[in-house]
Amino acid sequence: MADAPQDQIAPLLNPEGWELLASLGPYREDEAFRLNASLRKAGHSPELVSAVLTQSRLRTRAEAKFGEFARQMIFTQAGLEQATRLTVAARHAQRFLGAGISHVADLGCGLGADAMALASLDIQVTAVEVDETTAACATMNLIPFRNATVVHSDATAMSLEGIDGVWLDPARRTTSSSGTKRLWDPEDFSPPLSFVESLAASGLAVGVKMGPGMPHDAVPAGCEAQWVSVGGDVTEVALWFNAVRRPGIRRAALLLGPQGAAELTSSEDFGGGPLAPVGPVEGYLYEPDGAVIRAGLVADVALQLDGHLVDEHIAYICAPELRDTPFARAYKVLEMMPLNVKVLKAWVRDQGIGVLDIKKRGTSVTPEELRKQLLPAGKAAAKAGGRNAAKKTATLVLTRIGEDKVAISVEPA
């Protein structure tokens, strides 16, 4: 059985462990065995060596979320998986700052990512965590901030006297001897969504991070729901109540990427808003960002592009002209075929395709299985098209238009 999280953290919470961890360079898997042996030979205990190597590996993985800050932080595996990216946490903190909130309770602070972002804006933070090991990690991570305090306690039992803002990141997994299991009902989260709503009903400025798959009918009335996408990966939906809710906005899609931030908003409730026309597959096909789809804003993007949906129930847009938009990825339409294995096999062979990217929406076809069915003819394709033909790359979009299942050959615009 793997060591418990506390066994991997406790050896680091003393001068020897902290100094040894600080002395290590970036983690490299191919060097781990040799480094393990050399540290033990130097007289360090097996428990300490295991702890520092585990922490070094987690720090390297955490750089994707925390950048250079990861080098000074302490992590647990489960905590890192749920931790908010620092760029997104900064957005959360800006909400509270903009609303004039002076003291935020971070209930269920985890490793302290959101508390760090809040404290860096000179907001007083009381970070609350029920898990003892995770609370110890948060304490270490928040040491640089004198305006942040970590409390080992149940979030629902905390007194909020003197606090004017609350941020929550409920646990959405349960842990057992067989591993972790994802929870889907917001009332099964810890704390549950009803607890969040009770805080909002008291008038506090409340923000809560939920999983991006949250269904629209589970989103409480009277809040703003903002889906967030980072580099095309939808990471969360944040619900904002009272002072941290923006006037006139019910739902939003925020996209963060190398080119900066872009946001699409709507004042309409879910199911409301404009309707996009339905039309043929033509010109350019646009694949909306996942945050746009989750927020129910596909029709808004279609109208911005002077485009139309290819099916009223499918989140693909077509438009005759190419237009630049941060909210969807554009592809030039080359041809459309029936979604038929025999037809597509002939197409792959005739085109000399060796690498096939398959996207899908509105069909039960599994791209991996279809790819296996279509690509074994690589040798025949090479003979038909020349030595390099088998290396040709193509993209297929599988979807449904009415009752017809189709495959659309496209190329990135």
Side-chain angles (χ1 to χ4, degrees), residues 39-191:
L39 291 176
R40 290 192 182 198
K41 188 175 180 180
H44 300 292
S45 70
E47 294 76 17
L48 176 56
V49 172
S50 174
V52 296
L53 289 180
T54 296
Q55 200 56 225
S56 178
R57 174 174 53 82
L58 290 174
R59 280 181 168 184
T60 299
R61 286 186 53 199
E63 288 179 5
K65 287 188 172 183
F66 293 92
E68 63 182 26
F69 292 97
R71 301 172 193 170
Q72 305 299 323
M73 295 176 66
I74 294 291
F75 301 95
T76 63
Q77 177 74 34
L80 178 56
E81 288 176 1
Q82 187 163 326
T84 304
R85 288 170 170 84
L86 211 52
T87 52
V88 179
R91 296 266 171 176
H92 299 159
Q94 285 288 345
R95 286 269 189 159
F96 289 98
L97 181 69
I101 305 301
S102 60
H103 189 173
V104 173
D106 183 354
L107 301 183
C109 69
L111 298 174
D114 280 288
M116 289 169 60
L118 288 160
S120 69
L121 295 181
D122 292 330
I123 296 172
Q124 186 177 348
V125 183
T126 299
V128 182
E129 174 57 48
V130 70
D131 180 75
E132 185 177 6
T133 301
T134 306
C137 293
T139 299
M140 297 295 291
N141 295 338
L142 288 165
I143 281 177
F145 303 98
R146 293 184 177 181
N147 54 328
T149 303
V150 178
V151 178
H152 175 218
S153 175
D154 182 346
T156 60
M158 273 295 296
S159 168
L160 300 180
E161 185 177 353
I163 289 172
D164 51 351
V166 179
W167 170 255
L168 305 96
D169 184 356
R172 297 183 291 278
R173 287 181 176 272
T174 56
T175 303
S176 66
S177 58
S178 59
T180 62
K181 179 182 177 182
R182 185 177 293 279
L183 301 172
W184 298 104
D185 185 348
E187 280 308 293
D188 291 333
F189 297 170
S190 181

Side-chain angles (χ1 to χ4, degrees), residues 294-312:
R294 295 285 191 183
L297 295 169
V298 174
D300 300 69
V301 174
L303 295 176
Q304 284 185 2
L305 296 169
D306 287 332
H308 52 263
L309 302 177
V310 298
D311 181 281
E312 62 179 329

Side-chain angles (χ1 to χ4, degrees), residues 166-242:
V166 179
W167 170 255
L168 305 96
D169 184 356
R172 297 183 291 278
R173 287 181 176 272
T174 56
T175 303
S176 66
S177 58
S178 59
T180 62
K181 179 182 177 182
R182 185 177 293 279
L183 301 172
W184 298 104
D185 185 348
E187 280 308 293
D188 291 333
F189 297 170
S190 181
L193 183 57
S194 56
F195 174 73
V196 177
E197 292 183 86
S198 70
L199 295 177
S202 73
L204 288 167
V206 175
V208 57
K209 172 183 173 181
M210 306 294 280
M214 186 178 194
H216 292 167
D217 58 8
V219 177
C223 74
E224 172 196 337
Q226 183 189 54
W227 276 263
V228 181
S229 168
V230 181
D233 178 26
V234 188
T235 60
E236 66 175 56
V237 54
L239 309 181
W240 300 100
F241 299 83
N242 301 328

